Amino acid sequence: VVAVRPNHAAVHAFRGVMWIGFGGSVEAKGEDPREAYRSACAALERALALKPDYVAALTEHGIACWRLGDARNVRGEEGAPAYAAAVESFSAAGRLEPRDTAVRNNRGLVYAAWGEEMVERGIDARENFGRAAADFEEALRIDPELAEAYVNRGSVLGAMADACAARGEDPRPSYVRAVEAFAEAIRRKPASPDARLNRGNAQRKLATAEEERGGDPGPWYEGAVADLDAALELKPGYAP
């Protein structure tokens, strides 16, 4: 089909989506998906060269680059160039579709993954974690009932707090914000064991930070235990 219609943007975009799917299946087998994700990026870039305002292709290109960054990172290579390309594509899609929550949520997840790689390399990741939190907050401004974005926001605020603690700064404000974000997720999805576990872990870390600074850790430890008990009640034998 591509040989017959080489200038058809939709065909190249479809090829890119197929390569993403193939990369996922390769990855699920424990094999190296990088070549598949590189092929996906290349096909989607051809589509975008023909139609720069192709929102679906921009979004899929962001996903392909994001997955390539993750695949490079877990194999000891630098994922940052792929993450940067993913951010660029999600940003372009967001400018064309300003009320698309998925685009903002995905860009936030890329910033978070990029930040985690920076932490592993000993680089200050707080700026990227802050950008991730801002993206999740923007998604929630558009759709305040988006429970997934509350969980993602809580997770990245917890990562921000960890980064602050590693540099001798007070992590408590970020841990408190993480606890609050997970609480909003629980309010919207009370049967989610993951949200309970995440809030419990945030409260446990907050209790430790309070104890180290001469505060009262008791309420946070109690909250952590209650959340972990609730997670097990919702899903006996729960192992995230």
Side-chain angles (χ1 to χ4, degrees):
V1 176
V2 175
V4 175
R5 308 181 70 181
N7 295 322
H8 199 300
V11 174
H12 293 297
F14 182 73
R15 288 186 72 242
V17 172
M18 293 301 99
W19 275 115
I20 292 172
F22 179 64
S25 68
V26 168
E27 199 163 14
K29 297 175 184 176
E31 299 173 4
D32 187 350
R34 287 174 293 179
E35 188 56 41
Y37 291 142
R38 280 192 287 264
S39 296
C41 291
L44 290 157
E45 284 159 13
R46 291 190 69 182
L48 291 166
L50 295 168
K51 189 177 179 183
D53 61 350
Y54 194 169
V55 174
L58 284 166
T59 301
E60 295 296 338
H61 184 258
I63 292 170
C65 291
W66 174 13
R67 293 191 180 179
L68 177 59
D70 285 349
R72 288 176 59 86
N73 184 27
V74 300
R75 288 165 177 82
E77 298 179 351
E78 187 178 7
Y83 290 140
V87 165
E88 184 177 350
S89 287
F90 285 134
S91 297
R95 287 191 292 272
L96 292 165
E97 294 287 347
R99 296 193 62 78
D100 189 331
T101 57
V103 165
R104 278 147 187 80
N105 194 60
N106 283 343
R107 188 174 67 176
L109 289 169
V110 173
Y111 274 129
W114 192 353
E116 289 166 5
E117 179 187 68
M118 293 171 73
V119 168
E120 291 170 2
R121 293 173 179 269
I123 303 169
D124 187 352
R126 288 173 294 176
E127 184 175 355
N128 270 4
F129 289 145
R131 289 170 174 167
D135 273 338
F136 300 138
E137 287 160 9
E138 178 62 16
L140 290 166
R141 186 190 65 78
I142 297 168
D143 181 4
E145 298 305 312
L146 192 62
E148 178 186 0
Y150 285 109
V151 172
N152 292 337
R153 181 171 176 267
S155 295
V156 80
L157 288 170
M160 172 78 83
D162 291 344
C164 289
R167 283 165 174 76
E169 299 179 7
D170 189 350
R172 289 175 296 179
S174 290
Y175 283 138
V176 168
R177 293 173 65 202
V179 169
E180 291 170 348
F182 290 131
E184 289 294 332
I186 291 167
R187 188 170 73 82
R188 285 160 176 79
K189 285 193 173 182
S192 169
D194 290 340
R196 296 279 184 178
L197 178 68
N198 287 336
R199 188 174 67 174
N201 282 333
Q203 291 192 91
R204 175 183 58 82
K205 290 181 178 181
L206 181 52
T208 300
E210 283 285 1
E211 196 166 19
E212 290 172 347
R213 289 162 178 79
D216 180 9
W220 299 114
Y221 278 130
E222 291 172 6
V225 170
D227 273 336
L228 297 177
D229 286 346
L232 289 170
E233 184 176 343
L234 288 165
K235 189 175 181 181
Y238 182 51

